[in-house]
Amino acid sequence: MDGVIFVIFGASGDLAVRKLIPALYELYLGKYLPENFAVLGVSRSDYSDEAFQKKVFYDSEFIDLKDGDAERQKAFAQRLSYLAIQTAVSEDYAKVKSKLAEMDEVYKTESNYIFYLSTPPFLYPIIPSCLAAHGLNQSNQGWRRLVIEKPFGYDLQTAVALNHSLRQYFSEDQIYRIDHYLGKETVQNLLVTRFANGIFEPLWNRNYIQHVQITNAENLTVGSRGGYYDKSGALRDMFQNHLMQIIAHLTMEPPIAANASAIRNEKLKVLQSIRPIKEEDVPQFVIRGQYTGSIIGEHQINGYREEEGVPHDSRTETYVALKFFIDNWRWAGVPFYVRSGKALPTKVTEVVITFKDPPHTLFRQEKTMQNDNNQLIIRIQPDEGLLLKFGMKIPGSGFKVKDVGMDFHYTDLTDTEVPTAYERLLLDVIKGDATLYARGDSVEEAWRFVAPILDAWQNKPDIKVYGYPVGSWGPMVVSKLSSSERMTWRNPCSELTTNGSFIEL
Ligand code: BG6
């Protein structure tokens, strides 16, 4: 593998400490990193190399150094260097350039650089232009890659503008837009489940599937992130990126090969096929909600409007549920229901495929279940796995049918260590594999779908924001979305095979 310097802009920030350095360290321990590897932290605060190493490594509560090998810890820490600059001042990048040249000498990294923007979004267009002003964008000596974190824009216009400004200095194949859901094994496994098995794909279409549900629930409230969250809301924070990526994996056509461009081409196509929800139809297809305070056990839990940094008249949604259709041959007429929210009963993300009933019902009188006895549940997190539900005969006279399930849990693969999403994605960018990164065109396409919804909410204040108590499954009115179909939400628990039988708080 090529040697590389991993340059983190915003290196003293939360993401670097919580995710990036721990992921790089795990990769280092697992011997996945190239021999010639170093990290350069860049931000405005003044640190020496040693003070930086202490902050992000030795004192980090996200890295367990207790039982480790002290020699290896030291060897890793010594590869962490630091440089303070005014990140928005182009002249200061001369310092970055000479520091990188110095490090190239020491670590033999041959001018291969990854620039990771872990900064506030207003710097996303600025840093690439400053790098370009010093020739640090050009892959002529070594290669240069740029990684950016979400948000990729705030709406369609800003996303298009951001892509445009990034592409002025870096080509699309140098740009890696990170979406940590794509680093989750279970999101990647959607492709394997579909395309490595002969049994699912023949059923994966309008002829056999009645509807699809996706639930993305978090039990945590917004807490101290109110300042950020109030400008975002569930649709921007979770749906436009993470959930649309899951939808694309679930619904795309088979790619012609398992490589970045073939997979990303198919994802783009299916995102283009999602039927837009027109501004005037938003109340019919989209429900938004906001959690209200409640008492759980002995604790009084704040409602969203009481959270720090949230205006007391905020109309930002902490919950969103939508119904939409995909207008192509495979999915014509199949409704998709997706919901995402904070302060719900448990933390869970799962996909539920409900298959159509058999064409002729023989055992109608004796059935104990109504509709949804043929379901495939794909658990993204936690208790990652698959559950297939179907009807079986109850022993004894007659034909009484009972619901049973076959389940697979990732934990059964005991000898496999599952890498965290960041470990997987950082290793991919080091190797130059963009398959699990979002391409600019599909990011714009996802914004194109959510744009009329955001516009409607902004332009029509009479569209309701429904309250729901902390710890409930969201506004009751959500059932209105599916009133014309036989559909009920599966309310999952943290364990894959239990559902709806109790609520966890
Ligand atoms: C982030 C959102 O992208 O994803 C957060 O900004 C959310 O609001 C988080 O909590 C959820 O990620 P995960 O991996 O915990 O499901």
Side-chain angles (χ1 to χ4, degrees):
M1 223 188 300
D2 295 344
V4 61
I5 302 178
F6 199 95
V7 186
I8 305 175
F9 286 93
S12 53
D14 199 44
L15 183 77
V17 178
R18 274 190 317 121
K19 300 282 184 193
L20 305 182
I21 300 292
L24 290 171
Y25 180 54
E26 281 302 316
L27 291 171
Y28 177 76
L29 288 182
K31 301 198 169 55
Y32 293 108
L33 294 184
E35 188 79 4
N36 301 328
F37 173 81
V39 174
L40 175 64
V42 180
S43 62
R44 279 190 318 189
S45 329
D46 226 353
Y47 292 105
S48 62
D49 288 352
E50 293 70 29
F52 179 61
Q53 292 162 6
K54 187 161 171 337
K55 178 179 165 66
V56 300
F57 186 68
Y58 287 117
D59 286 355
S60 170
E61 56 180 295
F62 303 97
I63 297 178
D64 183 8
L65 297 176
K66 274 197 300 297
D67 307 318
D69 165 349
E71 275 306 297
R72 280 190 74 67
Q73 291 171 3
K74 192 166 161 212
F76 178 79
Q78 279 175 344
R79 290 168 187 250
L80 308 178
S81 302
Y82 185 81
L83 179 70
I85 62 163
Q86 293 301 323
T87 334
V89 176
S90 181
E91 293 76 58
D92 267 21
Y93 284 68
K95 294 186 210 159
V96 177
K97 190 171 183 173
S98 60
K99 179 80 182 177
L100 287 172
E102 244 172 65
M103 290 175 73
D104 273 333
E105 288 292 309
V106 179
Y107 298 103
K108 308 280 174 272
T109 33
E110 296 174 348
S111 297
N112 297 324
Y113 309 140
I114 293 172
F115 301 109
Y116 197 112
L117 308 194
S118 164
T119 62
F122 78 89
L123 287 168
Y124 291 174
I126 298 173
I127 295 175
S129 80
C130 297
L131 289 169
H134 296 267
L136 286 168
N137 57 337
Q138 286 162 16
S139 292
N140 45 15
Q141 278 182 323
W143 45 255
R144 311 289 155 84
R145 296 178 188 141
L146 182 76
V147 186
I148 78 166
E149 273 283 337
K150 66 157 224 196
F152 313 123
Y154 178 75
D155 52 21
L156 179 58
Q157 288 74 21
T158 48
V160 171
L162 175 62
N163 276 336
H164 178 74
S165 79
L166 294 176
R167 289 188 198 121
Q168 276 183 286
Y169 307 108
F170 286 83
S171 60
E172 181 62 37
D173 61 6
Q174 291 178 290
I175 304 171
Y176 290 70
R177 296 172 194 78
I178 201 162
D179 182 309
H180 80 279
Y181 265 57
L182 288 176
K184 291 184 193 276
E185 281 294 321
T186 43
V187 175
Q188 296 158 38
N189 190 46
L190 286 169
L191 301 184
V192 175
T193 305
R194 291 186 56 197
F195 303 130
N197 294 296
I199 53 175
F200 298 119
E201 199 52 23
L203 305 181
W204 217 260
N205 57 55
R206 61 187 297 273
N207 296 321
Y208 299 98
I209 293 181
Q210 191 206 63
H211 74 268
V212 177
Q213 301 175 18
I214 300 176
T215 293
N216 165 258
E218 286 183 86
N219 48 349
L220 290 183
T221 57
V222 166
S224 58
R225 293 174 77 218
Y228 151 77
Y229 195 85
D230 201 61
K231 293 188 193 62
S232 176
L235 194 68
R236 287 189 174 94
D237 185 53
M238 288 301 304
F239 182 81
Q240 183 277 337
N241 39 68
H242 308 319
L243 296 177
M244 290 208 76
Q245 291 294 337
I246 293 181
I247 293 164
H249 278 208
L250 192 69
T251 58
M252 68 193 240
E253 292 302 311
I256 53 167
N259 62 37
S261 83
I263 291 180
R264 299 198 300 177
N265 287 346
E266 293 306 333
K267 285 169 64 172
L268 175 66
K269 265 165 59 186
V270 78
L271 292 175
Q272 288 169 333
S273 320
I274 301 180
R275 187 188 304 166
I277 298 176
K278 293 196 208 103
E279 224 178 296
E280 61 270 26
D281 294 335
V282 165
Q284 191 190 337
F285 287 95
V286 188
I287 302 287
R288 59 175 165 168
Q290 197 182 71
Y291 62 84
T292 55
S294 87
I295 296 175
I296 296 182
E298 289 168 4
H299 303 285
Q300 165 71 45
I301 314 274
N302 278 346
Y304 178 67
R305 292 179 183 185
E306 283 109 52
E307 302 284 20
E308 187 190 322
V310 174
H312 58 79
D313 56 353
S314 167
R315 289 172 68 77
T316 300
E317 78 290 357
T318 59
Y319 173 101
V320 64
L322 320 81
K323 172 183 179 179
F324 62 86
F325 292 90
I326 298 179
D327 287 337
N328 64 14
W329 276 54
R330 182 184 289 269
W331 295 113
V334 178
F336 284 75
Y337 299 91
V338 181
R339 61 179 172 170
S340 171
K342 302 240 182 237
L344 300 183
T346 189
K347 178 167 171 73
V348 68
T349 303
E350 68 174 26
V351 175
V352 181
I353 316 268
T354 301
F355 294 93
K356 288 186 173 167
D357 281 345
H360 174 61
T361 312
L362 276 180
F363 309 117
R364 188 186 300 277
Q365 303 303 322
E366 320 248 0
K367 244 173 118 176
T368 53
M369 278 291 306
Q370 283 304 308
N371 315 312
D372 51 0
N373 56 346
N374 280 175
Q375 284 188 327
L376 177 67
I377 293 138
I378 307 176
R379 197 40 103 79
I380 307 292
Q381 62 186 24
D383 193 8
E384 291 80 359
L386 287 187
L387 170 65
L388 182 63
K389 289 168 73 177
F390 46 89
M392 281 282 124
K393 182 179 176 304
I394 300 175
S397 66
F399 286 100
K400 287 211 165 65
V401 182
K402 179 181 164 32
D403 231 8
V404 296
M406 284 196 324
D407 49 322
F408 157 74
H409 303 256
Y410 262 82
T411 44
D412 295 343
L413 302 174
T414 40
D415 52 347
T416 319
E417 205 184 302
V418 181
T420 65
Y422 271 93
E423 285 165 40
R424 173 64 206 263
L425 293 171
L426 297 192
L427 186 58
D428 280 2
V429 65
I430 290 169
K431 290 181 173 163
D433 180 353
T435 313
L436 299 177
Y437 283 83
R439 204 167 63 187
D441 48 9
S442 67
V443 169
E444 287 177 22
E445 206 51 52
W447 276 118
R448 200 159 282 127
F449 176 69
V450 303
I453 306 173
L454 293 169
D455 290 346
W457 287 347
Q458 168 136 13
N459 301 337
K460 298 190 180 134
D462 54 321
I463 298 181
K464 292 196 173 69
V465 181
Y466 293 95
Y468 62 96
V470 172
S472 67
W473 274 108
M476 304 273 274
V477 65
V478 78
S479 57
K480 192 177 97 176
L481 288 181
S482 54
S483 54
S484 57
E485 280 114 28
R486 296 178 330 182
M487 178 274 186
T488 45
W489 287 100
R490 180 182 125 99
N491 285 341
C493 294
S494 56
E495 277 172 25
L496 170 59
T497 45
T498 5
N499 67 288
S501 53
F502 59 90
I503 289 207
E504 285 161 272
L505 297 171

